[in-house]
Amino acid sequence: MNAALGLSLVIVALAVLAAVEGARTARRWRIGRSARVDWRTGLAAIPKRYLVDVHHVVARDPYAARMHALAAGGLIAGSVLAALGLMPPLGHAHLFWGAVALAFLVALAGGAMVGRRRYPAKPARLSGGAFQRLPLLLAAYVGGALLVALDAASGLAGPLGWLGLAVAAAGGFGLVRQLADGPMRHALAGALHLAAHPRPGRFEGERATALIPADLDAPRLGVAVPADFAWNRLLGFDACIQCGRCEVACPAFAAGQPLNPKKLIQDLAGSFKAEPPTYAGSPYPQAPPVAGLGGPERPIVGAGALIHPDTLWSCTTCRACVEECPMMIEHVDAIVDLRRFQTMELAAVPAGAIPALSESRYAEEPGGRPLAARTDFAAGLPLPLIAAKGSCDVLLWLGSGAYELRHGRTLRALVELLRKAGIDYAVLGPEERDCGDLARRLGDEATFADLARANIATLSRYSFRRILTADPHALHVLRNEYPAFDGRYEVIHHSAFLDELAADGRLALAAAPAGRLAYHDPCYLGRYNGETDAPRRLLDRLGLERVEMERHGKRAMCCGGGGGAPVSDVAGERRIPDLRMAQVRAVGATTVAVACPQCAAMLEGVTGDVAEVRDLAELVLAAVEAAPVAQGAAR
Amino acid sequence: MSRTRRDPREEREARRLDGNARPRWRLDTPPSSSRLRRDPRREAEAARVPGAARLRLDRSGRVAGTLAPPPIAAEPIAAPTIRIIEAPAFLIAVVPDAPGGRLTPLDRQLLGAARLLSDAGGGAVLVLSFGAVDGLGAAGVDRTVALAAPPGGDPTMRTAELAGLLAALQPRHMLFPESATGGDLARRLAARIGEALFAGAESLTARLATRPAGNRHVEQRAAPPRLVTLAPDAQLPHTGTVHEARRLEAPEIAPAPAHDAILSVEDLPVAADALPLAEADFVVSAGSGVTDFELFRELARALGATPGASRMVCDAGLMPRAAQVGASGTVLEAACYLALGISGAPQHLQGVARCEHVVAVNTDLHAAMVERAGLAIIADAQQVMPALIAALKAESQR
Amino acid sequence: MKTLVLLSDARHPVSGRPAPTATELQAINLARGLADEVSGLHAGPDAEAARGALGHGLARLEHREIPAGHDPLPSLLAAIGSEAPDLVLAGRRAGAGAQTGLLPYRLAEALGWPIVADAVALAVDGGVLEVIQALPKGARRRWRLRLPAVVTVHPAAPAAASFALGTARKGQVGAAIGIPAPLDEPAMEERPYRPRPRLIASAAAGAGAAERLRAATQAAGPGGRVMVDPSPEEAAQAILDHLRAIGVLKPASGR
């Protein structure tokens, strides 16, 4: 009997203990609804999903990526090797224990990085509590095991080995105890979440951002209690490692509204446990107090429950948290499911959202305006109705922005460009209902489904090649969410369309000086649909001086206009568009190019030191109008 | 340069022979007030500015020797004579709201409509009022009957009294304003006597009345029944002739008891600062030019106005969101809007578009709010607020 | 406490689609503050719009089927007789049709119950109903009356609940044949509505055209009085004088 053999035995014992803890954790997910999971594919794909998809997210923070690779890789490698030491030929080989020592040395280096990140001062986004003890336990386990391995490798078999074994056993036991409710839960739940992910398409290169239709015949609509979630969603909540990347990305959190995606996931993860682990991260900013009572069959949302409704309604559904989450958790799906119950069962929507939902339902337009007035913006520009033409090449979907003065200017510019490029276009006119985006994000799936079916029935009567829209929200709904209702269309955003026209030479562009310009990616275009290149290509064709904000592309910050947030109007300490405009000004841009009516409206609402807000269509039209003059001058 | 417009009704009234049950007119004299033919040359000559080398014409009428409009015989505004209708062919009864004995604008419009109805057939306008009402003669009233039932409170007694008068006096029509009080009373009466009510008429003649129906998509047209309520701003009030407003004794009507189920009716004191903005009549609003919000609230209390604010102030949390005026906040129906330190963004101006009077205090002469205002003070709102409070205090102590 | 809400066969004012009308939904909201279960009552050819109210907090709808153009009053009276509610609530105007707002009054008269119009708040204490009535310019009046009673609801009442599919699915509809009651008076002639210009009710109305024009442009257009950099005291006095001139402030008591 020596210390090395002891370490092997301790590790096997810990593995057994871990299996028991893991089974205890997994049993709790069984309260959830059933979900169809392709286990064979999922389990087989774990290494790829982990090494490619997860790493892609983690590597945005190189320090964290190195830290995790060293700590997790070293720990797993060392532990597995040390367990193999039970086999006599290996257990007596000095060289083998040298290799074990090397693995644990690597793990110790990783553990040191974990510690350095948290000590002496912990960044605000990281959680404290058990997470602060994690580097100590890690150091104890891998450090002790390192001593044992070194002892065995050197052949000394001295008291140092026994000391190391004791420390390693204590540290290892501590880590295993963290498996059910502590930080180490992420290892087990995270791996299984990769296998049983509710949106496997995300690992196949799809954006997979369409909301999943609610079953409107279910006995209970939406999610009221934890047991209403599918089991693999509960598993997903348990995968959270509280790294706080979502908290940093969340626009509502930045604006001091009572939402913190990290705490939300922790509340959901704690909601179905008898004794929820204590949370030691940033709270919901300025959230009204709640009773904090949870349980598998207890309501999640409400002043007498875990999450205050204001938290739910603060979300702009921008998906920044989902984009940043290394554990691939689906925050927005959870929020929309919870909203669905609030809206469709309790009718407990924010006061400001009631008129929008009612009008969406009864006037088929969230502002309650006549459908025929949607084309009023044109003011003399020809807008042929598809009802008169029967068919066209490009069907222009106007969206609810068409009623607003600001977006009307954009649409006039777009129509002007279509005419100049000789496009065969038409509009639905009074037959265009609201696409249902607002109702759906506010949880009113019933109204969304009615609008979707009515629009699809209208569209099915006409023949057109593709749908063009300047509203990324409509684009997302038509392109990604109508297929679930059997409406499949080729939908193109005006940025990509104008880029195509310019590439084909159908629009002659000339540089139109506009100063320094920054492009603000709409969430529903960039993050939801992955379209970040076409708008930039288009802007670069205009010969403008373009700068990038720190947060751009798929990681851009929301303008605050999505998910019904403007109508819900949850109070915060700041306004989201003010924060975004400050970011525009921080890179010295005097013009901010937008590609979405919501972004234009929100950013135009900022006062003080502001950049000019121009839609891509307006910028392109200015360049086209500059072009013939330039040619004429050259001639 | 204005041409005197003919008023055929006025001309005919001027030739009316008094003292007959049937209306008769003097037809022998040619109408002296008939429109004169214009003589452009003479007008030009009269408008010529004297002493100028080049011909200059001033048609504004300021130059001495301007062609005066031909004198119209017995200009009614210049010398009000009291028109007396001795023996009317019929009566048009009007029940004005007249809160506190003063006619409201809608009451005056109602009397204007009643005047037209009665003049079209030689009738007379009869006002049935609960309590004395001022200025009825000028508003075109021939007869008045003061009623016994108390104004305000339970309308059951008033309904019964009106039903009795309707039976006793047999007016051709009984008109009510389509207001909260008048509309309620008219419907109570219609239900009591089981008669049709032509509610919210937008045009009213003896033969035809119209009203909107079906969410204002349909216009209903019919000969007006006895009971009619008139929509606001559909008729012009009566002006010109003054009528005698002769007080009649109320016919004896058995007094009706109050409804025994109604235990009490009382008016509640309304604090202007607790009113929802949408209902407020006088709003004083703070923008970024206001920094002391305690002072601002004190001013609102002193003026008896409902406090509002611009979006920036609400965003900054200095005033509650419910106080936000504008397209994204509350669209006001107030009669008067006092804007302190608000420049007037387009969305904000949309919120005050329906305010009749706007007073602006702003440091920027070129602010949109200043342009919109009936009275604009180019000054620091922070300085004007204490002066206003002091002036109000001084007045109340005097 | 049994409350019945009268529902009309309403149409959305803009879209013209069947849609419950706002004050009727607000009435449901007020009724739910008095009793947990609120029933609705509709008499008419079909109840599609009234059925929509089930999603806004109504537990049960009673539909009395009568031919189009018939008087709903006898059917309503019969239904109220069998339901025996303590309180009948109605909207200010129906959501479609003639919209005279007369029906609640006829109902109250036929039942011999008191009626209070334009309620914004209700409370019940031992068979006595307290109604807060909205009057113009934000004024309020409190009525106390013994039940049963008929009350109509003002748009300033608390906002109605939004539509909830779950509630709508749970709602029950009881249908029965109503009492046919053809109207004896001839139907009014109807035409498409054309908005009339609001007549200017200013002091100059009725006077000469030029005066009317001046009054109109002064009231609406720019060109008010501007005082540049007055002393605060001058400014204050000018504002107070102006407010008095337009009748917003009462004349100073000392004068």
Side-chain angles (χ1 to χ4, degrees):
Chain A
M1 184 69 189
N2 59 19
L5 183 65
L7 179 67
S8 303
L9 288 171
V10 162
I11 287 172
V12 170
L14 287 175
V16 171
L17 201 58
V20 173
E21 286 285 288
R24 193 161 72 88
T25 306
R27 214 173 42 233
R28 295 189 296 214
W29 302 326
R30 296 188 52 178
I31 63 154
R33 289 185 197 163
S34 63
R36 192 185 296 159
V37 172
D38 185 351
W39 278 111
R40 187 181 301 196
T41 318
L43 287 172
I46 288 182
K48 180 258 166 189
R49 290 177 180 179
Y50 175 70
L51 293 172
V52 178
D53 299 291
V54 172
H55 181 74
H56 176 72
V57 180
V58 177
R60 290 176 198 158
D61 178 355
Y63 183 94
R66 280 195 291 274
M67 174 193 90
H68 194 257
L70 293 177
L75 185 131
I76 293 169
S79 301
V80 169
L81 282 178
L84 291 179
L86 283 175
M87 284 187 279
L90 287 178
H92 299 318
H94 293 290
L95 197 63
F96 170 76
W97 285 106
V100 174
L102 188 66
F104 279 119
L105 188 65
V106 167
L108 189 63
M113 289 180 79
V114 177
R116 220 188 98 207
R117 199 160 71 135
R118 295 179 168 274
Y119 293 99
K122 169 183 81 70
R125 70 177 171 100
L126 295 176
S127 293
F131 283 86
Q132 286 298 86
R133 293 194 292 278
L134 178 65
L136 306 179
L137 293 173
L138 205 57
Y141 174 65
V142 297
L146 177 63
L147 278 184
V148 176
L150 284 177
D151 181 66
S154 64
L156 288 175
L160 217 55
W162 289 106
L163 175 69
L165 180 62
V167 173
F173 185 72
L175 285 179
V176 171
R177 288 289 297 162
Q178 281 198 341
L179 203 59
D181 288 318
M184 289 311 289
R185 190 178 65 201
H186 83 282
L188 174 73
L192 285 175
H193 188 228
L194 289 181
H197 197 278
R199 291 178 179 274
R202 284 185 69 185
F203 306 106
E204 316 295 328
E206 296 169 23
R207 292 302 296 164
T209 49
L211 287 178
I212 296 151
D215 176 9
L216 295 181
D217 298 319
R220 184 151 62 198
L221 302 165
V223 167
V225 302
D228 292 336
F229 278 117
W231 74 269
N232 56 350
R233 310 274 298 278
L234 298 175
L235 159 67
F237 304 144
D238 268 348
C240 175
I241 181 62
Q242 304 192 33
C243 65
R245 292 173 189 226
C246 50
E247 174 183 313
V248 174
C250 179
F253 182 81
Q257 290 176 304
L259 171 61
N260 176 351
K262 179 170 98 171
K263 167 123 171 78
L264 178 85
I265 296 301
Q266 283 314 304
D267 280 341
L268 292 173
S271 66
F272 57 96
K273 303 192 171 76
E275 282 174 52
T278 47
Y279 172 75
S282 317
Y284 299 124
Q286 298 195 310
V290 291
L293 296 172
E297 291 295 341
R298 289 186 60 92
I300 299 171
V301 176
L306 287 168
I307 299 172
H308 193 274
D310 283 357
T311 297
L312 223 50
W313 301 111
S314 298
C315 178
T316 66
T317 68
C318 74
R319 272 184 89 85
C321 49
V322 184
E323 185 68 27
E324 293 300 316
C325 183
M327 306 309 290
M328 304 280 167
I329 299 169
E330 293 283 346
H331 311 63
V332 174
D333 282 350
I335 285 177
V336 171
D337 273 338
L338 291 168
R339 283 184 179 182
R340 282 173 176 170
F341 178 75
Q342 297 293 308
T343 304
M344 290 196 286
E345 290 285 359
L346 303 183
V349 295
I354 295 177
L357 287 179
S358 283
E359 299 294 9
S360 291
R361 181 166 187 79
Y362 297 119
E364 304 184 307
E365 203 289 302
R369 296 159 289 204
L371 296 183
R374 198 189 297 272
T375 50
D376 286 357
F377 74 89
L381 276 179
L383 273 187
L385 294 182
I386 195 167
K389 296 178 63 165
S391 73
C392 62
D393 182 47
V394 170
L395 179 68
L396 181 58
W397 186 275
L398 298 172
S400 55
Y403 292 99
E404 314 292 342
L405 281 176
R406 175 65 189 85
H407 193 58
R409 290 211 300 275
T410 301
L411 287 174
R412 273 204 299 281
L414 181 58
V415 171
E416 195 71 44
L417 289 169
L418 295 180
R419 290 177 62 209
K420 284 185 192 295
I423 303 296
D424 171 27
Y425 68 96
V427 296
L428 284 173
E431 291 185 283
E432 181 185 326
R433 298 166 172 86
D434 186 62
C435 66
D437 167 70
L438 182 65
R440 185 169 223 197
R441 310 300 140 186
L442 287 171
D444 192 351
E445 186 78 357
T447 298
F448 168 74
D450 288 348
L451 287 169
R453 288 197 194 93
N455 275 324
I456 290 168
T458 304
L459 290 170
S460 70
R461 283 189 276 119
Y462 301 114
S463 88
F464 48 88
R465 193 161 64 87
R466 50 186 180 172
I467 297 175
L468 167 68
T469 181
D471 182 350
H473 296 260
L475 170 99
H476 172 67
V477 169
L478 292 169
R479 181 194 275 174
N480 302 322
E481 300 194 337
Y482 277 14
F485 295 82
D486 291 325
R488 289 180 178 77
Y489 311 104
E490 188 187 339
V491 192
I492 186 166
H493 187 249
H494 73 309
S495 59
F497 188 77
L498 293 175
D499 181 51
E500 252 178 44
L501 291 184
D504 293 350
R506 297 179 77 170
L507 285 177
L509 303 173
R516 262 165 97 101
L517 174 141
Y519 172 65
H520 163 77
D521 289 88
C523 306
Y524 276 72
L525 189 65
R527 229 175 341 262
Y528 274 76
N529 283 286
E531 186 66 272
T532 54
D533 295 338
R536 289 178 168 77
R537 266 200 314 272
L538 181 63
L539 284 170
D540 290 341
R541 289 180 200 281
L542 305 182
L544 301 165
E545 185 196 354
R546 187 167 65 78
V547 288
E548 287 289 8
M549 288 182 269
E550 191 193 330
R551 292 182 61 180
H552 64 271
K554 294 193 185 84
R555 302 182 72 194
M557 184 176 162
C558 177
C559 69
V567 290
S568 301
D569 194 25
V570 177
E573 291 159 337
R574 291 163 289 274
R575 294 179 75 243
I576 297 171
D578 291 354
L579 299 175
R580 188 58 170 163
M581 188 56 91
Q583 293 170 8
V584 173
R585 298 295 294 139
V587 291
T590 52
T591 303
V592 55
V594 294
C596 168
Q598 297 286 354
C599 301
M602 297 304 285
L603 292 175
E604 285 233 312
V606 179
T607 50
D609 173 32
V610 295
E612 194 188 358
V613 181
R614 306 283 305 271
D615 191 273
L616 290 175
E618 295 175 294
L619 291 166
V620 173
L621 182 63
V624 167
E625 281 173 346
V629 177
Q631 284 165 3
R635 246 182 259 135
Chain B
M1 186 69 224
S2 73
R3 188 190 298 175
T4 317
R5 195 181 276 262
R6 283 183 62 188
D7 185 345
R9 271 193 297 274
E10 208 72 67
E11 288 166 8
R12 194 172 57 171
E13 280 310 315
R15 299 197 306 280
R16 187 186 188 120
L17 292 172
D18 288 338
N20 286 324
R22 260 185 62 227
R24 289 183 58 206
W25 286 275
R26 212 168 46 238
L27 294 173
D28 48 344
T29 44
S32 62
S33 61
S34 72
R35 192 184 298 178
L36 290 180
R37 196 175 278 270
R38 286 178 64 189
D39 181 350
R41 253 181 257 111
R42 220 187 87 185
E43 283 172 10
E45 193 53 45
R48 185 176 188 147
V49 179
R54 267 179 61 220
L55 176 72
R56 276 187 60 213
L57 297 180
D58 182 346
R59 295 195 187 271
S60 69
R62 282 173 298 174
V63 184
T66 305
L67 179 71
I72 299 169
E75 175 77 60
I77 299 169
T81 52
I82 291 183
R83 236 192 91 199
I84 296 172
I85 297 174
E86 207 50 63
F90 55 86
L91 290 172
I92 304 288
V94 173
V95 187
D97 283 345
R102 298 237 300 262
L103 292 173
T104 65
L106 179 52
D107 287 339
R108 292 182 187 281
Q109 294 161 16
L110 187 65
L111 289 169
R115 193 70 255 159
L116 292 183
L117 277 179
S118 60
D119 285 350
V125 176
L126 164 72
V127 159
L128 308 174
S129 67
F130 300 95
V133 180
D134 299 336
L136 287 178
V141 176
D142 301 305
R143 306 278 189 277
T144 71
V145 171
L147 302 178
D154 176 11
T156 321
M157 287 159 75
R158 279 176 283 154
T159 309
E161 195 165 2
L162 287 176
L165 280 172
L166 199 59
L169 297 175
Q170 289 294 332
R172 185 174 283 184
H173 295 290
M174 191 178 263
L175 309 183
F176 295 80
E178 182 59 60
S179 60
T181 314
D184 181 56
L185 202 55
R187 285 171 179 80
R188 282 174 192 275
L189 181 62
R192 167 66 51 85
I193 62 176
E195 259 187 45
L197 169 72
F198 199 87
E202 288 190 339
S203 74
L204 181 60
T205 65
R207 269 169 305 174
L208 186 70
T210 66
R211 63 181 295 272
N215 296 317
R216 304 187 87 81
H217 291 306
V218 174
E219 183 179 81
Q220 291 187 330
R221 305 157 69 88
R226 273 217 293 187
L227 301 182
V228 176
T229 66
L230 185 76
D233 297 337
Q235 297 278 340
L236 289 176
H238 171 78
T239 48
T241 54
V242 174
H243 291 249
E244 64 174 327
R246 185 193 305 167
R247 185 104 186 243
L248 296 186
E249 280 308 306
E252 276 301 310
I253 294 164
H259 202 294
D260 58 359
I262 294 177
L263 305 176
S264 70
V265 183
E266 53 182 325
D267 284 339
L268 297 180
V270 177
D273 51 355
L275 266 183
L277 272 180
E279 287 186 68
D281 194 43
F282 177 23
V283 175
V284 53
S285 196
S288 40
V290 172
T291 50
D292 185 347
F293 281 84
E294 262 322 299
L295 192 68
F296 169 70
R297 287 192 192 89
E298 193 188 331
L299 173 65
R301 272 193 299 274
L303 285 169
T306 308
S310 70
R311 202 208 78 203
M312 275 179 76
V313 167
C314 294
D315 282 348
L318 299 166
M319 289 286 287
R321 179 66 68 188
Q324 185 179 328
V325 174
S328 53
T330 305
V331 176
L332 300 182
E333 299 279 353
C336 180
Y337 186 68
L338 171 54
L340 298 171
I342 300 180
S343 54
Q347 283 89 345
H348 190 85
L349 289 180
Q350 279 177 36
V352 299
R354 277 182 253 172
C355 294
E356 200 178 339
H357 304 283
V358 172
V359 179
V361 180
N362 204 311
T363 47
D364 178 8
L365 177 59
H366 304 288
M369 188 59 85
V370 168
E371 198 164 310
R372 170 73 176 78
L375 171 66
I377 310 280
I378 309 305
D380 184 357
Q382 243 349 94
Q383 312 268 314
V384 174
M385 286 198 297
L388 265 172
I389 293 172
L392 283 166
K393 268 201 187 123
E395 283 179 0
S396 64
Q397 282 163 6
R398 227 185 293 159
Chain C
M1 182 69 196
K2 201 165 173 183
T3 308
L4 206 55
V5 178
L6 301 187
L7 297 168
S8 57
D9 187 29
R11 294 289 177 273
H12 188 275
V14 172
S15 72
R17 289 155 51 88
T21 197
T23 47
E24 287 167 10
L25 297 183
Q26 289 172 299
I28 295 173
N29 204 16
L30 286 182
R32 274 159 59 92
L34 303 177
D36 288 337
E37 207 178 280
V38 180
S39 307
L41 175 59
H42 171 69
D46 83 286
E48 195 187 343
R51 209 180 281 263
L54 291 172
H56 296 267
L58 199 66
R60 192 165 60 89
L61 170 69
E62 283 297 326
H63 177 208
R64 296 288 173 269
E65 208 179 320
I66 53 169
H70 280 223
D71 185 2
L73 188 66
S75 305
L76 296 178
L77 284 172
I80 288 169
S82 58
E83 297 273 322
D86 301 294
L87 177 62
V88 172
L89 294 178
R92 193 157 199 270
R93 298 281 182 278
Q99 298 180 316
T100 57
L102 194 56
L103 186 75
Y105 290 86
R106 294 175 61 212
L107 191 70
E109 186 68 32
L111 292 165
W113 295 0
I115 178 167
V116 181
D118 294 340
V120 290
L122 299 176
V124 169
D125 183 16
V128 174
L129 176 72
E130 185 185 289
V131 182
I132 305 295
Q133 180 186 38
L135 295 174
K137 306 210 184 280
R140 296 285 185 267
R141 185 174 284 170
R142 176 167 42 212
W143 295 59
R144 291 169 56 77
L145 49 152
R146 262 198 299 277
L147 293 172
V150 180
V151 173
T152 71
V153 176
H154 190 266
S162 68
F163 175 86
L165 179 66
T167 324
R169 291 190 312 185
K170 289 185 203 97
Q172 296 161 1
V173 181
I177 300 296
I179 302 167
L183 290 166
D184 42 3
E185 54 204 277
M188 277 194 252
E189 184 195 344
E190 292 194 342
R191 293 188 183 182
Y193 182 74
R194 211 160 37 85
R196 290 157 190 281
R198 283 162 72 98
L199 296 179
I200 304 146
S202 74
E211 278 172 70
R212 282 213 301 276
L213 181 68
R214 193 159 57 238
T217 48
Q218 274 176 357
R225 197 153 64 92
V226 178
M227 291 173 76
V228 180
D229 288 333
S231 74
E233 288 71 29
E234 281 169 26
Q237 202 51 53
I239 292 172
L240 291 183
D241 290 347
H242 183 78
L243 292 178
R244 296 224 160 83
I246 60 179
V248 171
L249 276 191
K250 289 194 182 68
S253 54
R255 293 182 193 174

Coordinates of all heavy atoms in Angstrom, one line a residue, chain B residues 345-367:
Chain B
A345 N -40.4 69.5 -28.9 CA -40.1 68.5 -29.9 C -41.4 68.2 -30.6 O -42.4 68.3 -30.1 CB -39.4 67.3 -29.3
P346 N -41.3 67.7 -31.9 CA -42.5 67.4 -32.6 C -43.4 66.4 -31.9 O -44.6 66.6 -31.8 CB -42.0 66.8 -33.9 CG -40.6 67.3 -34.1 CD -40.1 67.6 -32.7
Q347 N -42.8 65.4 -31.3 CA -43.7 64.4 -30.5 C -44.4 65.1 -29.4 O -45.5 64.7 -29.0 CB -42.8 63.3 -30.0 CG -42.4 62.3 -31.0 CD -41.2 62.6 -31.7 OE1 -40.7 63.7 -31.6 NE2 -40.6 61.7 -32.4
H348 N -43.7 66.1 -28.8 CA -44.3 66.8 -27.6 C -45.5 67.7 -28.1 O -46.5 67.7 -27.5 CB -43.3 67.6 -26.9 CG -43.7 68.2 -25.6 ND1 -43.7 67.5 -24.5 CD2 -44.3 69.4 -25.3 CE1 -44.2 68.2 -23.5 NE2 -44.6 69.4 -24.0
L349 N -45.2 68.4 -29.2 CA -46.3 69.2 -29.8 C -47.5 68.4 -30.2 O -48.6 68.9 -30.1 CB -45.7 70.0 -31.0 CG -44.7 71.1 -30.6 CD1 -44.3 71.9 -31.8 CD2 -45.4 72.1 -29.6
Q350 N -47.3 67.2 -30.6 CA -48.5 66.4 -31.0 C -49.4 66.2 -29.7 O -50.6 66.1 -29.9 CB -48.0 65.0 -31.4 CG -47.6 64.9 -32.9 CD -47.1 63.6 -33.3 OE1 -47.6 62.5 -32.8 NE2 -46.1 63.5 -34.1
G351 N -48.7 66.1 -28.6 CA -49.5 65.9 -27.3 C -50.3 67.1 -26.9 O -51.2 67.0 -26.1
V352 N -49.9 68.3 -27.4 CA -50.7 69.5 -27.0 C -51.5 70.1 -28.2 O -52.0 71.2 -28.2 CB -49.7 70.6 -26.4 CG1 -49.1 70.1 -25.2 CG2 -48.7 71.1 -27.4
A353 N -51.6 69.3 -29.3 CA -52.2 69.8 -30.5 C -53.6 70.3 -30.3 O -54.1 71.2 -30.9 CB -52.2 68.7 -31.6
R354 N -54.3 69.6 -29.3 CA -55.7 69.9 -29.1 C -55.9 70.9 -28.0 O -57.1 71.2 -27.6 CB -56.5 68.6 -28.8 CG -56.8 67.9 -30.0 CD -57.6 66.6 -29.7 NE -56.8 65.4 -29.9 CZ -57.2 64.2 -29.5 NH1 -58.4 64.1 -28.9 NH2 -56.5 63.2 -29.8
C355 N -54.8 71.5 -27.5 CA -55.0 72.5 -26.4 C -55.3 73.9 -27.1 O -54.7 74.3 -28.1 CB -53.7 72.7 -25.6 SG -53.3 71.2 -24.7
E356 N -56.3 74.5 -26.5 CA -56.8 75.8 -27.1 C -55.8 76.9 -26.9 O -55.5 77.6 -27.8 CB -58.1 76.1 -26.5 CG -58.9 77.1 -27.4 CD -60.3 77.4 -26.8 OE1 -60.8 76.6 -25.9 OE2 -60.9 78.4 -27.1
H357 N -55.3 77.0 -25.7 CA -54.3 78.0 -25.4 C -53.0 77.4 -24.9 O -53.0 76.5 -24.1 CB -54.9 78.9 -24.2 CG -56.2 79.5 -24.5 ND1 -56.4 80.6 -25.4 CD2 -57.5 79.1 -24.1 CE1 -57.7 80.8 -25.5 NE2 -58.4 80.0 -24.7
V358 N -51.9 78.0 -25.4 CA -50.6 77.6 -25.0 C -49.8 78.8 -24.5 O -49.8 79.8 -25.2 CB -49.8 76.9 -26.1 CG1 -48.4 76.6 -25.7 CG2 -50.5 75.6 -26.5
V359 N -49.2 78.7 -23.3 CA -48.4 79.7 -22.8 C -47.0 79.1 -22.6 O -46.9 78.0 -22.1 CB -48.9 80.3 -21.5 CG1 -48.0 81.4 -20.9 CG2 -50.3 80.8 -21.6
A360 N -46.0 79.8 -23.2 CA -44.6 79.2 -23.1 C -43.7 80.1 -22.4 O -43.7 81.3 -22.6 CB -44.1 78.9 -24.5
V361 N -42.9 79.5 -21.5 CA -41.7 80.3 -20.9 C -40.5 79.5 -21.3 O -40.3 78.3 -21.0 CB -41.9 80.3 -19.4 CG1 -40.7 81.1 -18.8 CG2 -43.2 80.9 -19.0
N362 N -39.6 80.2 -22.1 CA -38.5 79.5 -22.6 C -37.4 80.5 -22.9 O -37.7 81.7 -23.2 CB -38.9 78.8 -23.9 CG -37.9 77.6 -24.2 OD1 -36.7 77.8 -24.2 ND2 -38.5 76.5 -24.5
T363 N -36.1 80.1 -22.8 CA -35.0 81.0 -23.0 C -34.7 81.2 -24.5 O -34.1 82.1 -24.9 CB -33.7 80.5 -22.3 OG1 -33.6 79.2 -22.6 CG2 -33.8 80.7 -20.8
D364 N -35.2 80.2 -25.3 CA -34.9 80.3 -26.8 C -36.1 80.9 -27.5 O -37.2 80.3 -27.6 CB -34.6 78.8 -27.2 CG -34.3 78.8 -28.7 OD1 -34.2 79.9 -29.3 OD2 -34.2 77.7 -29.3
L365 N -35.8 82.0 -28.1 CA -36.9 82.7 -28.9 C -37.3 81.9 -30.1 O -38.5 82.0 -30.5 CB -36.3 84.1 -29.4 CG -37.2 84.9 -30.2 CD1 -38.5 85.3 -29.5 CD2 -36.5 86.2 -30.6
H366 N -36.5 81.0 -30.6 CA -36.8 80.3 -31.8 C -37.3 78.9 -31.5 O -37.4 78.1 -32.4 CB -35.6 80.2 -32.7 CG -35.1 81.6 -33.0 ND1 -35.7 82.5 -33.8 CD2 -34.0 82.3 -32.6 CE1 -35.1 83.6 -33.9 NE2 -34.0 83.5 -33.1
A367 N -37.6 78.6 -30.3 CA -38.1 77.3 -30.0 C -39.5 77.1 -30.6 O -40.3 78.0 -30.7 CB -38.2 77.1 -28.4

